[in-house]
Amino acid sequence: MNVRKISTITELVFTEGGRAVPAPVRTAVVLAVIENPWAGQGFVQDLAPGIDSVASDLGALLAPRVVEALGAPVEAYGKAAIVGLDGEVEHGSALIHTLKFGDHFRKAASATTLLPAVEKRAPAGATFDIPLKHITDATIRSHHQSIEVRLGDAPRPDEIIIGLAAAAQGRPQARLAPLSSEQ
């Protein structure tokens, strides 16, 4: 795995809708810009060797960093892969949609639900929204949220941005009725 850089973004929201929130709403994102392990190989049918050589190490690298950056217990989480223009969306999907990657974050966050994800192919500087859901119950509406991120110089055509996002709570000023109220 060749990492060009790691970026950490933290956010504290103090007001929403013109009203103060009871406590600052904390969100953190850690992004690794890596060389696409399939770059320059043309169409690769069997992605397993690249997954085996990168996914677990990448999950182990990012999971503790995003938890540390959040600085609070994780209540919502998500993941992302943004592939440079010379790669395929499947390259990013291959790295993040495996237990070898995701279980590092599940363990670090004491989570049991599937990690929501976004993946796409885009040029450097593209904006993307990482979806987040509750770590143990994906039906908890207050924790359905997203965080917008971008890196001005990534991904280069032969790179992939892999990211993890964490929130210490639900959306600021969340007030939707529970899903069970509609069933």
Side-chain angles (χ1 to χ4, degrees), residues 1-5 32-41 50 54 58 83-84 91 95 155-162:
M1 173 175 64
N2 295 319
V3 177
R4 178 165 64 89
K5 73 177 190 174
V33 179
I34 67 167
E35 179 182 51
N36 183 333
W38 301 281
Q41 298 178 39
V54 174
L58 195 53
V83 180
H91 296 162
L95 295 177
R156 293 177 180 163
D158 64 346
E159 293 178 333
I160 304 175
I161 300 172
I162 302 291

Side-chain angles (χ1 to χ4, degrees), residues 16-51:
E16 178 72 20
R19 300 182 75 172
V21 296
V25 175
R26 303 176 66 82
T27 312
V29 179
V30 174
L31 305 167
V33 179
I34 67 167
E35 179 182 51
N36 183 333
W38 301 281
Q41 298 178 39
F43 184 85
V44 177
Q45 180 64 39
D46 183 6
L47 300 176
I51 294 167

Side-chain angles (χ1 to χ4, degrees), residues 57-168:
D57 290 344
L58 195 53
L61 176 70
L62 297 179
R65 288 174 187 263
V66 73
V67 171
E68 180 181 347
L70 185 62
V74 177
E75 286 191 15
Y77 68 163
K79 61 187 174 183
I82 310 303
V83 180
L85 294 178
D86 288 347
E88 300 174 43
V89 172
E90 190 71 2
H91 296 162
S93 296
L95 295 177
I96 67 170
H97 292 300
T98 174
L99 296 176
K100 293 174 184 178
F101 176 77
D103 276 354
H104 290 283
F105 199 10
R106 275 184 208 88
K107 183 177 179 185
S110 299
T112 57
T113 59
L114 292 175
L115 272 157
V118 64
E119 58 267 17
K120 69 179 185 179
R121 184 174 47 234
T127 300
F128 53 101
D129 295 320
I130 302 176
L132 294 97
K133 295 207 186 274
H134 194 276
I135 61 169
T136 61
D137 184 348
T139 68
I140 296 176
R141 288 181 171 172
S142 60
H143 288 60
H144 294 194
Q145 56 189 311
S146 61
I147 184 163
E148 181 181 70
V149 294
R150 75 179 280 280
L151 294 176
D153 69 341
R156 293 177 180 163
D158 64 346
E159 293 178 333
I160 304 175
I161 300 172
I162 302 291
L164 294 178

